Amino acid sequence: MSKADKVRDFSQYLRESGYFPSTDEDGDIRFMAEGLSHFVSFDEKDEEFVRVMLPLWQITSADERSRAERAALKIAGTIKCVKLRLGPTVVLATVDILTSSMDNFQIVFPRSITLLRGATTIFRAEMSES
């Protein structure tokens, strides 16, 4: 199944689940869940790989980066399957999934959103500590 087919099929699943998906310039699916923008990315070279992403924070200082690194360590030790990815200016929470079918991905997708919500709670608490 091509990336375009996966995007089409999963966008349909999201619509049927009450979300309003769109496709961004990279071909990723964007949708809102609980007031936050999430993304789903399919890898063209690895048919079984899916990444669910949630942008969490814009890093504007060395102090914020340090707190984000501490939050990433806490999340890694607390929440299964969630990784925090610290870019130069952005923090993303991600759930990486290997699956042989879109049906299987749809089964674990709601849990992915729940895990990202938990990571968001921990991340915000860590970032608010000085």
Side-chain angles (χ1 to χ4, degrees):
M1 179 180 275
S2 72
K3 178 179 177 176
D5 291 338
K6 290 178 186 179
V7 168
R8 183 197 63 231
D9 291 353
F10 195 68
S11 293
Q12 181 62 34
Y13 163 79
L14 287 171
R15 280 189 287 280
E16 291 169 0
S17 300
Y19 298 101
F20 299 96
S22 61
T23 305
D24 70 10
E25 61 277 356
D26 297 327
D28 298 331
I29 299 170
R30 179 180 188 263
F31 64 98
M32 300 293 287
E34 300 179 12
L36 301 172
S37 291
H38 291 67
F39 296 85
V40 175
S41 178
F42 299 99
D43 190 318
E44 290 199 49
K45 295 179 182 172
D46 186 346
E47 285 192 22
E48 296 180 339
F49 182 80
V50 183
R51 177 172 285 155
V52 183
M53 300 173 280
L54 173 61
L56 291 178
W57 199 270
Q58 292 285 330
I59 297 173
T60 60
S61 68
D63 177 60
E64 280 187 346
R65 175 166 288 284
S66 178
R67 286 186 285 147
E69 289 169 353
R70 284 194 308 271
L73 291 172
K74 185 167 188 175
I75 288 167
T78 307
I79 299 182
K80 297 175 187 174
C81 303
V82 175
K83 296 179 193 175
L84 252 58
R85 299 176 184 278
L86 280 68
T89 60
V90 177
V91 178
L92 291 175
T94 66
V95 175
D96 294 343
I97 300 166
L98 295 173
T99 183
S100 60
S101 76
M102 289 299 292
D103 290 338
N104 290 341
F105 175 52
Q106 291 172 7
I107 291 168
V108 299
F109 174 75
R111 176 93 185 264
S112 300
I113 298 300
T114 300
L115 292 169
L116 290 171
R117 182 179 49 232
T120 301
T121 301
I122 292 170
F123 183 82
R124 288 180 176 168
E126 290 295 312
M127 293 303 286
S128 67
E129 292 181 8
S130 14

